[in-house]
Amino acid sequence: MTKRALVLGGGGFIGSHLVRRLKHEGMWVRSVDLKRPPYSPSPADDFVVGDLRDPACVRHALEGGFDEVYQLAADMGGAGFVFTGEHDAAIMHNSAQINLNVLECMRNERVGRIFYSSSACMYPEYNQLDPDNPRCSEESAYPAAPDSEYGWEKLFSERLYFAYARNYGFTVRIARYHNIFGPEGSWNDGREKAPAALCRKIAMAPDGGEIEMWGDGKQTRSFLYIDECVEGSLRLMRSDFTGPVNIGSDEMVSINQFAAMIMEIAGKQLRIRHVDGPTGVRGRNSDNALIAEKLGWAPDRPLVEGLAETYRWIAAQVREAASRP
Ligand code: NAD
Ligand code: GDD
């Protein structure tokens, strides 16, 4: 019989790529989101435009039973959205409400297993002060001290999923994503993360010109290409390992190095003007020891490859936007 998957947040960046992959595998897929994917039509068999903060919407979404449920819906964005403090209440309320609804409604439905996308933002700030030696191994999560309300909500929801697993016998899988990037992600709506933001700025600047960068550029991160994110998520979902486990790249770069890589791809030489802005933790890198041990797999695609594909896509968006009257 055809297996059924439900992707909550299937109109978003990771969700829309995941739906494509699940369809490619031959599954029947229902997707639910506030909006349809903005850049290409969803191949989902059933796309429900709805608000998962409403329990009636969640009950409707779960109708028919599912082998796999992926819960990716959240109020999220890059540093310019989650670290300014302006959206803290909405982020916490909206995402927690979705997770509370999903779990409670699932008690009455046939669901094989549920995947929850947590974030590296739940790791304590005190382990991410040194840009050269951030510590993000899974067991380092406690004593908890995330630097954003977004991270606190993720930590709360991780615990919520585990509580439902313990008390009601749910089969859950939890990933902690580390900055996922690629084509068809937010690039100009205020929710874009550094990869898309810097690709956009570099694509828009004339050769020899200047771009703005938040902070001194010495802060470090790792960035995972979308295809490996989807691959890791499916491997975790279908494994015997519950998690939580990092799904991220361990190729750490400073934001200055990162911008230099994009300029090289673009074939442009630009000056960088460092400006004040939301910078988040000083250093972050995925620790991939646990995923390698438990899944026998870890992301290994060089950053530059995914970055070249992403730059091409964003440069095309920039050209298209500029050609519109
Ligand atoms: P995204 O914003 O592109 O996708 C999230 C989707 O959820 C959006 O399409 C949004 O419309 C939908 N949504 C929000 N509120 C909703 C509601 N009330 N009802 C229905 N749909 C709603 O983000 P993404 O990058 O695809 O992230 C997917 C998940 O992965 C999120 O949970 C995010 O927190 C997590 N995550 C992402 C990253 C990353 O770097 N992209 C890193 C860590 C964790
Ligand atoms: N977004 C953005 N835009 N970031 C910039 C820019 C810019 O123009 N210039 C410099 N940066 C810096 C940020 O200040 C930050 O220090 C670093 O680049 C990375 O920024 P983001 O990619 O926006 O976010 P993040 O890595 O701090 O956090 C993201 O990843 C987490 C998971 O690892 C966010 O999307 C979180 O929501 C997510 O959970």
Side-chain angles (χ1 to χ4, degrees), residues 12-14 33 35 51-52 72 74 117-118 150 154 180 193:
F13 167 50
I14 300 172
D33 202 298
K35 58 166 175 47
D51 188 339
L52 295 162
L72 304 173
S117 51
S118 180
Y150 169 78
K154 288 294 187 189
I180 314 302
K193 291 170 277 118

Side-chain angles (χ1 to χ4, degrees), residues 76-83 118-122 148 150 154 177-180 191-198 200-201 212-215 217 219-223 255 258 277-282 284:
M76 87 84 81
F81 185 77
V82 296
F83 302 143
S118 180
S119 164
C121 283
M122 48 64 61
S148 65
Y150 169 78
K154 288 294 187 189
Y177 288 154
H178 288 244
N179 211 321
I180 314 302
R191 292 181 188 247
E192 63 275 15
K193 291 170 277 118
L198 294 173
R200 183 197 68 225
K201 290 177 182 183
E212 281 191 356
M213 179 188 286
W214 300 340
Q219 66 269 43
T220 54
R221 293 290 187 277
S222 70
F223 302 98
I255 301 300
F258 189 56
T279 50
V281 292
R282 196 67 185 139
R284 173 171 292 154

Side-chain angles (χ1 to χ4, degrees), residues 134-193:
R135 180 166 171 233
C136 293
S137 50
E138 288 79 354
E139 89 298 339
S140 70
Y142 296 95
D147 73 330
S148 65
E149 302 300 1
Y150 169 78
W152 278 105
E153 190 281 326
K154 288 294 187 189
L155 198 55
F156 163 77
S157 289
E158 282 190 8
R159 300 188 69 94
L160 189 67
Y161 280 82
F162 282 130
Y164 271 73
R166 279 196 308 277
N167 293 166
Y168 303 125
F170 287 13
T171 302
V172 306
R173 298 287 179 263
I174 298 185
R176 292 174 178 162
Y177 288 154
H178 288 244
N179 211 321
I180 314 302
F181 75 102
E184 306 198 356
S186 282
W187 65 279
N188 67 346
D189 63 357
R191 292 181 188 247
E192 63 275 15
K193 291 170 277 118

Side-chain angles (χ1 to χ4, degrees), residues 9-323:
F13 167 50
I14 300 172
S16 55
H17 282 271
L18 177 64
V19 168
R20 220 172 281 149
R21 169 75 184 263
L22 294 171
K23 280 308 302 166
H24 189 69
E25 290 184 354
M27 292 184 92
W28 188 92
V29 182
R30 176 177 295 150
S31 200
V32 185
D33 202 298
L34 289 170
K35 58 166 175 47
R36 290 177 184 276
Y39 302 109
S40 48
S42 174
D45 297 277
D46 183 22
F47 196 105
V48 180
V49 176
D51 188 339
L52 295 162
R53 290 169 298 185
D54 175 1
C57 171
V58 179
R59 278 195 293 273
H60 170 64
L62 288 164
E63 271 168 19
F66 288 91
D67 301 286
E68 298 179 352
V69 174
Y70 295 87
Q71 196 328 63
L72 304 173
D75 204 351
M76 87 84 81
F81 185 77
V82 296
F83 302 143
T84 62
E86 260 173 86
H87 308 289
D88 285 351
I91 288 171
M92 296 188 91
H93 174 268
N94 294 338
S95 300
Q97 186 77 65
I98 294 169
N99 289 312
L100 288 161
N101 284 347
V102 166
L103 285 163
E104 194 54 20
C105 293
M106 270 181 37
R107 287 176 62 184
N108 303 315
E109 295 296 338
R110 279 177 296 114
V111 168
R113 41 184 71 189
I114 177 154
F115 175 97
Y116 173 60
S117 51
S118 180
S119 164
C121 283
M122 48 64 61
Y123 283 115
E125 185 177 16
Y126 57 77
N127 281 334
Q128 300 173 86
L129 299 174
D130 176 356
D132 297 322
N133 292 294
R135 180 166 171 233
C136 293
S137 50
E138 288 79 354
E139 89 298 339
S140 70
Y142 296 95
D147 73 330
S148 65
E149 302 300 1
Y150 169 78
W152 278 105
E153 190 281 326
K154 288 294 187 189
L155 198 55
F156 163 77
S157 289
E158 282 190 8
R159 300 188 69 94
L160 189 67
Y161 280 82
F162 282 130
Y164 271 73
R166 279 196 308 277
N167 293 166
Y168 303 125
F170 287 13
T171 302
V172 306
R173 298 287 179 263
I174 298 185
R176 292 174 178 162
Y177 288 154
H178 288 244
N179 211 321
I180 314 302
F181 75 102
E184 306 198 356
S186 282
W187 65 279
N188 67 346
D189 63 357
R191 292 181 188 247
E192 63 275 15
K193 291 170 277 118
L198 294 173
C199 284
R200 183 197 68 225
K201 290 177 182 183
I202 291 169
M204 291 179 76
D207 194 12
E210 184 178 86
I211 59 159
E212 281 191 356
M213 179 188 286
W214 300 340
D216 62 9
K218 293 178 186 157
Q219 66 269 43
T220 54
R221 293 290 187 277
S222 70
F223 302 98
L224 182 70
Y225 192 61
I226 182 67
D227 289 0
E228 288 200 299
C229 168
V230 170
E231 178 68 29
S233 303
L234 294 184
R235 283 176 184 256
L236 173 62
M237 179 66 140
R238 294 162 186 175
S239 77
D240 294 331
F241 182 50
T242 304
V245 65
N246 293 328
I247 295 189
S249 161
D250 58 4
E251 185 181 342
M252 189 172 80
V253 289
S254 73
I255 301 300
N256 282 331
Q257 289 169 331
F258 189 56
M261 288 172 90
I262 305 172
M263 286 183 213
E264 172 99 26
I265 290 165
K268 292 186 186 181
Q269 287 205 323
L270 304 168
R271 289 183 306 282
I272 294 178
R273 187 149 52 88
H274 296 279
V275 298
D276 283 345
T279 50
V281 292
R282 196 67 185 139
R284 173 171 292 154
N285 191 17
S286 183
D287 182 322
N288 287 349
L290 188 66
I291 193 170
E293 178 197 327
K294 298 293 183 184
L295 303 188
W297 175 91
D300 62 0
R301 190 170 177 198
L303 173 60
V304 68
E305 291 182 11
L307 201 49
E309 288 177 33
T310 306
Y311 181 80
R312 260 198 302 281
W313 182 79
I314 290 181
Q317 301 301 308
V318 166
R319 278 195 302 277
E320 197 188 304
S323 70

